[in-house]
Amino acid sequence: MAPARVIEVVFLTVVGCALAVNADNAPVEWQKAHATFYGGADASGTMGGACGYGNLYTTGYGTRTAALSTVLFNDGQACGQCYKIACDSKSTESMWCKPGATVTVTATNLCPPNHALPNDNGGWCNPPRPHFDMAQPAWEKIGVYKGGIIPVMYQRVPCVKQGGVRFTINGHDYFNLVLVTNVAAIGSIKSMDVKSSDAANWMSMPHNWGANWHSLANLTGKMLSFRLTNTDGQTLVFNNIVPNGWKFGQTFTSKLQFN
Ligand SMILES: *[C@@H]1O[C@H](CO)[C@@H](O)[C@H](O)[C@H]1NC(C)=O
């Protein structure tokens, strides 16, 4: 166990030299926040979540995930985005830091405000605080368990995913709720459209919740294409990704991925 952990540690000095670059090639500054953990040592309590990714093991997000405070979650627009996080060793609160370590997590959940508690004592996710409530195995890469909360520095980084974008269709006739998962690069989706094979035009799919987009047409059983534009402005068309005769609850895996 120990060697594997050591290999995963990337030293901050190295990261600092290789100046991080955003998707639009602008240098990215580290920003300050705090981080706690949830969900248990096996991250079982992180399943589900406000992005709607469901079982994070089967959907590929694993234990490198985080719930974001309201200001970072941005009403679900942050779902699927990736963040590199390091404990802030220069902070006066750094006693529980694991110096030099970083971990990259995908946003999969909302850390809701707790207005019964003050912002600086338990209400960590209250606006306007930027806060990451991380899956415990991810948090323990950068913090010492008994500290409970650590000061962190974070920055957005491109998401690395295996394989193509996936679509899961839930709902019923005249209400299709389509969950978009396994999105690489910028990670987040700006807009989605659907077209059935018997239709001439694309129909816009409004954002519903988390990483879910919906259509109010009756598309049941029809061959469908999806069109996604990510928050970087890159558009991909997934032609006939959903075959005739599809059923609610099925997931369709494409070969296309954002870059
Ligand atoms: C929706 O379309 C399917 C396939 O054409 C049809 O079988 C079903 O009856 C329609 N549903 C409703 C509620 O009209």
Side-chain angles (χ1 to χ4, degrees), residues 1-11 63-64 100-104 137-138 141-142:
M1 175 180 169
R5 290 183 72 116
V6 171
I7 289 165
E8 286 203 41
V9 170
V10 177
F11 285 91
T63 62
R64 297 291 180 266
T102 68
V103 64
T104 297
K141 291 285 169 195
I142 59 172

Side-chain angles (χ1 to χ4, degrees), residues 173-174 218 220:
D173 294 355
Y174 293 103
N218 184 9
T220 302

Side-chain angles (χ1 to χ4, degrees), residues 70-154:
T70 304
V71 292
L72 294 177
F73 191 69
N74 194 16
D75 196 26
Q77 298 303 317
C79 287
Q81 294 180 350
C82 295
Y83 296 81
K84 181 182 279 188
I85 304 178
C87 200
D88 185 0
S89 302
K90 292 198 181 112
S91 163
T92 53
E93 315 160 90
S94 68
M95 67 183 295
W96 305 114
C97 279
K98 289 182 178 167
T102 68
V103 64
T104 297
V105 296
T106 305
T108 58
N109 201 359
L110 167 70
C111 177
N114 183 346
H115 295 298
L117 295 175
N119 287 12
D120 59 354
N121 189 9
W124 313 123
C125 291
N126 293 349
R129 290 178 62 101
H131 189 91
F132 295 89
D133 199 16
M134 300 167 63
Q136 186 179 332
W139 189 92
E140 285 198 70
K141 291 285 169 195
I142 59 172
V144 178
Y145 178 83
K146 75 176 181 183
I149 180 167
I150 52 173
V152 297
M153 297 185 302
Y154 70 95

Side-chain angles (χ1 to χ4, degrees), residues 10-252:
V10 177
F11 285 91
L12 204 51
T13 45
V14 176
V15 175
C17 293
L19 182 65
V21 165
N22 196 341
D24 59 5
N25 286 332
V28 178
E29 300 290 327
W30 289 94
Q31 293 179 276
K32 288 180 194 288
H34 284 78
T36 46
F37 58 83
Y38 79 119
D42 61 355
S44 57
T46 64
M47 301 297 138
C51 293
Y53 293 137
N55 183 318
L56 300 176
Y57 296 131
T58 56
T59 48
Y61 297 95
T63 62
R64 297 291 180 266
T65 66
L68 274 52
S69 62
T70 304
V71 292
L72 294 177
F73 191 69
N74 194 16
D75 196 26
Q77 298 303 317
C79 287
Q81 294 180 350
C82 295
Y83 296 81
K84 181 182 279 188
I85 304 178
C87 200
D88 185 0
S89 302
K90 292 198 181 112
S91 163
T92 53
E93 315 160 90
S94 68
M95 67 183 295
W96 305 114
C97 279
K98 289 182 178 167
T102 68
V103 64
T104 297
V105 296
T106 305
T108 58
N109 201 359
L110 167 70
C111 177
N114 183 346
H115 295 298
L117 295 175
N119 287 12
D120 59 354
N121 189 9
W124 313 123
C125 291
N126 293 349
R129 290 178 62 101
H131 189 91
F132 295 89
D133 199 16
M134 300 167 63
Q136 186 179 332
W139 189 92
E140 285 198 70
K141 291 285 169 195
I142 59 172
V144 178
Y145 178 83
K146 75 176 181 183
I149 180 167
I150 52 173
V152 297
M153 297 185 302
Y154 70 95
Q155 59 178 248
R156 286 275 306 282
V157 292
C159 299
V160 177
K161 302 292 178 203
Q162 305 275 318
V165 176
R166 296 196 282 265
F167 303 89
T168 303
I169 310 182
N170 287 299
H172 48 79
D173 294 355
Y174 293 103
F175 180 70
N176 294 343
L177 191 62
V178 181
L179 174 69
V180 182
T181 59
N182 204 51
V183 179
I186 198 86
S188 43
I189 299 300
K190 184 167 70 188
S191 65
M192 181 166 183
D193 306 286
V194 62
K195 187 160 78 72
S196 64
S197 55
D198 61 355
N201 297 313
W202 290 97
M203 289 183 293
S204 153
M205 298 181 73
H207 180 233
N208 194 288
W209 66 279
N212 284 286
W213 304 74
H214 75 251
S215 160
L216 299 178
N218 184 9
L219 302 172
T220 302
K222 294 180 178 178
M223 183 181 280
L224 304 177
S225 300
F226 292 124
R227 185 167 65 185
L228 292 180
T229 299
N230 69 10
T231 52
D232 242 1
Q234 187 187 357
T235 297
L236 291 179
V237 176
F238 303 80
N239 267 322
N240 301 332
I241 179 70
V242 179
N244 277 314
W246 60 268
K247 299 280 187 290
F248 289 102
Q250 287 185 320
T251 296
F252 303 95

